Amino acid sequence: MMNQRVVRSIIKAQTVSDGAGVKIQRSLGLQQHLRLDPFLMLDCFGSDEASDYIAGFPPHPHRGFETVTYMLAGHMLHEDHLGNQGHLKSGGVQWMTAGRGIIHSEMPQQQSGLMQGFQLWLNLPAKEKMKAAAYVDLTPEQIPQLSLGGNSWVKVIAGDFISADGGTVKGPVQGLSTAPLYLDFSLNAGDEVSFSLPQGHNALVYPFVGEVLVGQQTPAIPRHHAAVLTDGTQLTLTANEAVRLLVLAAKPIGEPIVQYGPFVMNTVAEIDQAIRDYQAGTLTDGAATTLHFS
Ligand code: CO
């Protein structure tokens, strides 16, 4: 039986500064209670003022979760302690598993022009927090785009897009324990789309151009507001104007979270250990692997 999801609560993004002074719209993660298990943080960056992004993110550590960077415009270079380099370019995605530890930088490779995109922090369950660090770069060509009629479309970055008429499009990221669904929609004025969301998975809608209606529920969700949804099996989005939005969903982990900056663990003792490991230079010890999605 279909059970439509509606809006349960709204988190309005606020402008914050992170890295060496990059201007960001942060919704999830603004405060520690503003999370949606397993999503820890959602940042949207977007500016054509170089001063808003040029300082970038100099080397910094992470432990205990995954970071997902989706570039809409611009060019950043990822470098990490393993000697990896990854170019983040328009339409590409970097899926990085910090696991036990990674030290990386993300620096702009442009002096001017538009830099726009998202960084999502996705938690790992306790049994995976100390696994080896890894990352995968997805080129725009690896991310399927499905036409929704007219000029409307959806890009499927992670999980399966299952439309109400039964068609399925699989994204390149599959097989993770939180089963993330990561969708990017462009909808024309007057268009509506209905699709499945797994029962029990937490989900949100984040418009970043224009505003969108969830079902026929009013008022519409304004841009840069994360609309957290009720549980259910189906989501219907209606665009009264041209809109771009993300839909994110994943299986909640249901474990305690202790966060200290870029370290996200289950207990205070594990955070203390992460800080000690970082100070001792052993945060990243352990073999690196290359990620393969099944
Ligand atoms: Co980082």
Side-chain angles (χ1 to χ4, degrees):
M1 197 183 85
M2 285 202 304
N3 178 2
Q4 288 284 341
R5 293 189 181 228
V6 294
V7 177
R8 187 181 83 202
S9 61
I10 288 183
I11 302 168
K12 182 184 191 300
Q14 289 178 25
T15 305
V16 300
S17 179
D18 207 338
V22 179
K23 210 188 263 184
I24 284 163
Q25 295 282 314
R26 180 167 294 163
S27 49
L28 296 189
L30 263 175
Q31 293 164 21
Q32 297 208 340
H33 68 280
L34 296 178
R35 295 181 180 124
L36 182 66
D37 184 13
F39 302 118
L40 299 163
M41 194 179 82
L42 180 61
D43 285 352
C44 179
F45 49 93
S47 178
D48 52 14
E49 294 288 331
S51 60
D52 287 342
Y53 61 74
I54 204 73
F57 299 88
H60 59 277
H62 295 287
R63 173 178 280 183
F65 59 103
E66 302 188 90
T67 68
V68 183
T69 306
Y70 178 29
M71 292 295 284
L72 296 170
H75 183 188
M76 299 257 270
L77 174 65
H78 155 100
E79 292 181 292
D80 64 40
H81 72 278
L82 303 168
N84 292 315
Q85 286 198 333
H87 287 275
L88 299 155
K89 289 185 180 172
S90 304
V93 170
Q94 185 202 54
W95 201 288
M96 185 179 86
T97 305
R100 174 191 167 93
I102 197 159
I103 296 172
H104 77 147
S105 62
E106 297 144 299
M107 298 303 286
Q109 302 296 300
Q110 63 193 56
Q111 301 301 317
S112 61
L114 179 65
M115 175 81 79
Q116 187 183 30
F118 288 91
Q119 189 170 84
L120 174 71
W121 285 16
L122 175 61
N123 205 3
L124 287 168
K127 64 179 188 303
E128 295 180 40
K129 282 184 176 294
M130 294 298 277
K131 70 182 182 184
Y135 83 91
V136 64
D137 284 323
L138 301 169
T139 64
E141 297 72 37
Q142 291 174 279
I143 297 167
Q145 178 175 322
L146 175 70
S147 171
L148 299 171
N151 292 322
S152 294
W153 49 258
V154 58
K155 291 184 185 181
V156 186
I157 295 167
D160 295 345
F161 174 77
I162 305 170
S163 92
D165 60 24
T168 298
V169 175
K170 292 180 100 61
V173 178
Q174 299 280 339
L176 302 181
S177 58
T178 51
L181 177 67
Y182 193 136
L183 304 172
D184 172 12
F185 286 90
S186 178
L187 299 178
N188 277 353
D191 281 0
E192 186 180 280
V193 59
S194 283
F195 55 100
S196 296
L197 289 177
Q199 179 95 34
H201 288 203
N202 284 332
L204 68 92
V205 173
Y206 187 97
F208 55 98
V209 176
E211 56 179 43
V212 71
L213 290 165
V214 171
Q216 291 300 323
Q217 210 182 356
T218 53
I221 313 304
R223 68 196 287 257
H224 296 304
H225 288 61
V228 175
L229 306 179
T230 58
D231 200 2
T233 59
Q234 203 77 12
L235 177 60
T236 300
L237 301 170
T238 306
N240 288 336
E241 60 181 19
V243 62
R244 282 289 298 277
L245 65 121
L246 300 185
V247 172
L248 304 174
K251 188 177 170 186
I253 294 171
E255 293 175 355
I257 296 171
V258 182
Q259 178 173 0
Y260 179 77
F263 306 135
V264 182
M265 303 301 290
N266 299 105
T267 67
V268 172
E270 290 166 346
I271 288 293
D272 289 344
Q273 187 65 50
I275 294 168
R276 278 199 302 274
D277 288 350
Y278 181 54
Q279 288 170 344
T282 59
L283 183 85
T284 60
D285 284 8
T289 58
T290 304
L291 265 189
H292 294 286
F293 295 114
S294 54

